[in-house]
Amino acid sequence: MIDKTFIDKCKNIFGPENVLTDKAELISYSYDATPGIPREIPGVVVFPENTKQVQELVILARQTKTPIYPRGAGTSLSGGPVPLSKGVVIGFQRMNRIIEIDPDNLTATVQPGVVVAELNNAVAKYGLLYPPDPGSMATATVGGTVAENAGGLRGLKYGVTKHYIMGMEVVMPTGEIFRFGGKTVKNVTAYDFTHLFVGSEGTLGIVTEIICKLIPAPKYRKSMIAFFSKLEDAGKTVTDIVRNHVIPATLEIMDKVTIQTVENYAKVGLPTDVEALLLIEVDGMGQDSVLWEAEKCVEIIKQNNGTYKIAETDAERDSLWAARRAALPALAQVKPATILEDATVPRTKLVDMLVAVQNIAKKYNLMIGTFGHAGDGNLHPTLLVDPMNKEEMERVHKAVDEIFEVALSLGGTLSGEHGIGVAKLKYLKNEIGRSGIETMRRIKQALDPDNILNPGKLVPMED
């Protein structure tokens, strides 16, 4: 419970300058980037500067049975950091130090508030790369992306966040400080705690330090854009590229609605009469191998009736990617809000999913633009909505229900990179079943018996 005594103790722990209690300031911490979900204005917001302060807060919260809602930059698309009661939001903007870059062991040790793009800028000086690249990487924090197991455009070749975390320091719900993992390439000691906590959405512990795996940055790359008059040809191009053992760093798709909206918004010269476009980039350490992969992609595009353009300079590459970067802002300017989903299907079911989304849009008379990471089957059907229009929102909720129903029927998953949060909680049992729900509950109850860490997210504690 948040009362004057609790707030006074927070001020003693963090210092008055690191505690927010004014309602006008608290309101902004009741949101992330997810519209149309339950939310509550927190009772207090605190900003720790070290692990000890986090530990003292957890002990205080456990004594008073006060919910804690960990928060990075608030760019989550599933409601992960949104308070559901008058608890305490713990923001990590002031734990934003890159503790160490170790180029010999290919690691970086960071505090959770480090922005992903700033980490990449820092390691680039050593010719290294931290591959996870969510669309919000200019503002998203490493801690937030660890909590949500975020992905990004490079997911097909380089994977998602869980593939690049080697160890952590975590404040457990008991207040204990637990360190696991490290810089060793091999570490099979005990349970795989790293994979347990990555993607746990702050429900099992509060991450206060992270060891990230780095890789050598590719020296060569080649980008191209391809246009198709039929969705089926675009989908076949995606599967044919991988079938021919070419794994692009990025393989993105945009449907006709998105193409037309982007062109209307950004005027980047896209043809508005095509059904789909693919953005493809291959990269590597050898120039010859990169050129071979690019030539193979062109050959496959031609075989599938596509037209294409290859970027010959960095400026031309930036021009090609301007279209992809404009996708979400272009769609967002059409209506007051967007609901951005991340239903994911096997690569071979990509066209089936795109066609299903188009049919769902017609059925419920909604505008849905779909873009996303075609290479890994991770699509972003984006519903353009007016949250104040109750009748429209009823249709939106039914459409979202059907999108996830179709994704699961095609052998897919609820989330490729956004997490479950509160937005997808009601669908979870449809994917992992009763036994999966019960297993998650047992893990949650074993580690957090008082249910104080981010309650109401990821783990449905009641039927």
Side-chain angles (χ1 to χ4, degrees):
M1 176 181 176
I2 305 290
D3 55 16
K4 185 177 183 305
T5 301
F6 187 94
I7 290 172
D8 286 344
K9 289 182 178 179
C10 285
K11 290 179 178 177
N12 287 335
I13 295 171
F14 300 99
E17 71 279 10
N18 290 323
V19 178
L20 301 181
T21 57
D22 184 84
K23 185 176 180 181
E25 293 178 309
L26 297 178
I27 287 174
S28 60
Y29 292 88
S30 65
Y31 290 86
D32 66 355
T34 317
I37 59 171
R39 65 185 77 250
E40 179 61 84
I41 299 172
V44 61
V45 177
V46 299
F47 300 99
E49 296 178 330
N50 55 61
T51 300
K52 184 172 183 300
Q53 290 176 334
V54 177
Q55 180 185 39
E56 290 180 27
L57 175 69
V58 170
I59 293 171
L60 172 62
R62 191 176 189 197
Q63 290 170 345
T64 56
K65 303 292 188 289
T66 303
I68 299 176
Y69 299 98
R71 182 183 181 90
T75 55
S76 164
L77 289 162
S78 59
V82 172
L84 298 178
S85 66
K86 292 282 184 186
V88 51
V89 168
I90 180 168
F92 285 94
Q93 282 72 26
R94 292 169 198 173
M95 287 184 71
N96 61 351
R97 191 162 56 90
I98 297 176
I99 298 168
E100 179 195 47
I101 296 172
D102 184 344
D104 295 329
N105 282 308
L106 298 178
T107 63
T109 303
V110 304
Q111 291 184 315
V114 170
V115 172
V116 175
E118 292 177 357
L119 173 59
N120 258 318
N121 291 339
V123 303
K125 299 170 186 173
Y126 301 88
L128 299 174
L129 175 71
Y130 176 64
D133 61 339
S136 57
M137 65 184 296
T139 51
T141 63
V142 176
T145 55
V146 166
E148 300 297 333
N149 198 5
L153 276 65
R154 291 190 281 246
L156 171 60
K157 183 173 183 178
Y158 294 107
V160 297
T161 298
K162 67 182 178 183
H163 301 115
Y164 295 93
I165 304 303
M166 299 175 68
M168 296 182 193
E169 177 188 81
V170 178
V171 177
M172 301 299 291
T174 57
E176 298 167 289
I177 296 174
F178 180 29
R179 296 184 69 95
F180 50 85
K183 294 183 179 181
T184 56
V185 174
K186 292 180 178 177
N187 184 338
V188 297
T189 301
Y191 289 130
D192 189 344
F193 292 111
T194 301
H195 278 81
L196 176 62
F197 281 89
V198 174
S200 64
E201 303 189 8
T203 60
L204 301 181
I206 300 178
V207 178
T208 51
E209 192 173 299
I210 304 157
I211 301 175
C212 303
K213 174 185 175 183
L214 308 175
I215 64 171
K219 291 184 178 179
Y220 301 97
R221 63 191 180 194
K222 204 73 176 173
S223 301
M224 65 191 76
I225 190 168
F227 305 101
F228 299 88
S229 299
K230 295 181 179 178
L231 268 178
E232 290 78 4
D233 287 339
K236 188 168 186 303
T237 298
V238 172
T239 53
D240 284 354
I241 286 174
V242 177
R243 184 179 294 133
N244 279 272
H245 301 170
V246 176
I247 308 297
T250 49
L251 180 44
E252 298 287 299
I253 193 168
M254 291 167 54
D255 73 351
K256 188 171 187 176
V257 171
T258 307
I259 294 169
Q260 292 176 337
T261 308
V262 166
E263 183 56 25
N264 183 54
Y265 170 76
K267 308 296 183 191
V268 290
L270 299 178
T272 55
D273 58 343
V274 298
E275 288 295 325
L277 71 76
L278 295 177
L279 279 158
I280 307 166
E281 182 167 282
V282 292
D283 68 4
M285 303 302 284
Q287 189 172 21
D288 289 345
S289 62
V290 170
L291 288 176
W292 178 85
E293 290 187 344
E295 289 169 359
K296 179 60 71 175
C297 288
V298 168
E299 179 185 322
I300 293 167
I301 290 167
K302 290 179 180 175
Q303 288 171 355
N304 287 298
N305 310 308
T307 58
Y308 66 96
K309 178 182 178 182
I310 297 178
E312 301 295 345
T313 65
D314 285 346
E316 288 183 7
R317 174 183 180 270
D318 290 343
S319 176
L320 295 186
W321 285 102
R324 174 61 179 85
R325 285 193 292 269
L328 185 55
L331 292 167
Q333 49 89 39
V334 177
K335 285 260 192 167
T338 59
I339 294 179
L340 179 69
E341 297 298 353
D342 74 326
T344 303
V345 294
R347 191 180 303 116
T348 51
K349 299 296 184 182
L350 188 68
V351 172
D352 296 328
M353 190 68 210
L354 286 165
V355 171
V357 172
Q358 289 180 343
N359 291 335
I360 290 169
K362 291 176 185 173
K363 178 179 179 180
Y364 291 103
N365 189 28
L366 295 168
M367 188 172 181
I368 305 178
T370 301
F371 60 96
H373 319 306
D376 47 45
N378 182 194
L379 293 174
H380 293 312
T382 304
L383 296 88
L384 313 183
V385 305
D386 179 359
M388 303 302 290
N389 185 335
K390 291 184 179 179
E391 186 276 332
E392 182 182 69
M393 288 305 292
E394 288 179 4
R395 284 185 278 123
V396 166
H397 291 312
K398 291 178 181 176
V400 171
D401 289 348
E402 286 199 24
I403 287 172
F404 286 124
E405 185 179 332
V406 171
L408 293 180
S409 74
L410 293 173
T413 182
L414 298 173
S415 178
E417 58 186 5
H418 293 173
I420 297 299
V422 65
K424 299 175 193 171
L425 201 57
K426 69 175 182 177
Y427 307 113
L428 192 57
K429 65 178 182 302
N430 298 337
E431 180 168 342
I432 67 172
R434 171 64 58 189
S435 59
I437 296 291
E438 289 300 327
T439 301
M440 290 184 67
R441 284 175 180 166
R442 290 186 198 112
I443 294 171
K444 172 70 171 172
Q445 288 168 342
L447 297 183
D448 182 17
D450 297 311
N451 195 25
I452 60 169
L453 290 190
N454 214 9
K457 315 293 175 54
L458 184 59
V459 187
M461 298 304 289
E462 298 177 355
D463 292 325

